[in-house]
Amino acid sequence: MLSVPLPHAQRDILDGDLLLFRRRGPISIAGRGEHSHAAKAAWWGGELFCLEVREWHGGRAVTLASQVRRCPGRIDVFRANPAGRWPEYDRAAATRFMRRLAGCDYGYAAVLSAAMRHLPVVRCWTTPDVDDTALDRRPPFCSQACAMADRIAGGVDPVPHLADRVTEPADLARSPFYQYRFTLTGDA
């Protein structure tokens, strides 16, 4: 883990880069990995923002500095489309998609549905959900929103063998479409 103070890291964060928040403790209802929340970075009027769909708030845009103060040492920055491996990726369109989610409700039903698939009995009786085109009118949850932004607007499916509606932060962390860069600290 490479820890970098936000003031020194800002210039290396691009629109559409993935922000994954590490769990606060060992127990969390949010999936299988070490991250419990996903968001996207965006430059807006010369200020770096965190675009997210968060429980209790829904879709919102807040300064990344405010989130680093709230969660120092827990926000990992991942470069979207490292080394330009996906030339069709539209970073600006993915960022606009996330901005447009500001004000949307949080997908409590969607996250519950995704979590239920991990229960031992349920897991044995369900097939993998790989169809991104299936109609789902429920509001998104955090990692679903990030996957949708990159697939629908950005033009690249970051987790091609998994539907957005069941994509968890751990799935994004393992995707070759993102590359870990550093972890943000509040130190100057």
Side-chain angles (χ1 to χ4, degrees):
M1 181 171 90
L2 173 63
S3 295
V4 180
L6 178 60
H8 300 289
Q10 288 191 132
R11 66 182 170 273
D12 294 324
I13 300 173
L14 304 176
D15 274 346
D17 278 352
L18 181 67
L19 307 172
L20 292 179
F21 291 61
R22 291 179 184 270
R23 298 178 186 282
R24 287 190 179 148
I27 299 174
S28 174
I29 61 165
R32 306 175 305 270
E34 64 183 302
H35 299 98
S36 61
H37 181 59
K40 291 286 222 169
W43 285 96
W44 205 348
E47 183 119 20
L48 190 54
F49 276 78
C50 171
L51 305 176
E52 62 185 351
V53 178
R54 182 175 274 295
E55 64 278 354
W56 311 115
H57 300 286
R60 68 182 189 158
V62 294
T63 63
L64 184 53
S66 72
Q67 299 310 290
V68 171
R69 279 192 302 276
R70 195 175 135 260
C71 308
R74 289 190 29 237
I75 302 173
D76 294 338
V77 177
F78 286 74
R79 174 62 35 89
N81 193 18
R85 289 175 48 197
W86 290 264
E88 68 276 21
Y89 181 60
D90 189 338
R91 185 178 293 278
T95 303
R96 279 192 305 276
F97 185 97
M98 286 298 290
R99 279 191 186 133
R100 289 185 186 122
L101 290 177
C104 79
D105 290 332
Y106 181 76
Y108 289 103
V111 78
L112 181 61
S113 175
M116 294 293 289
R117 295 177 148 280
H118 298 300
L119 294 175
V121 174
V122 175
R123 187 174 50 199
C124 293
W125 297 101
T126 60
T127 59
D129 191 351
V130 297
D131 185 9
D132 281 317
T133 62
L135 189 61
D136 188 356
R137 296 194 186 280
R138 298 177 295 196
F141 56 93
C142 65
S143 49
Q144 177 185 10
C146 292
M148 288 169 59
D150 286 332
R151 183 182 60 79
I152 295 169
V156 175
D157 189 346
V159 189
H161 301 291
L162 190 62
D164 298 340
R165 68 186 154 278
V166 294
T167 299
E168 299 175 14
D171 300 316
L172 298 176
R174 287 189 298 269
S175 169
F177 184 69
Y178 306 108
Q179 181 180 50
Y180 171 80
R181 305 271 298 158
F182 40 77
T183 300
L184 298 173
T185 65
D187 308 333

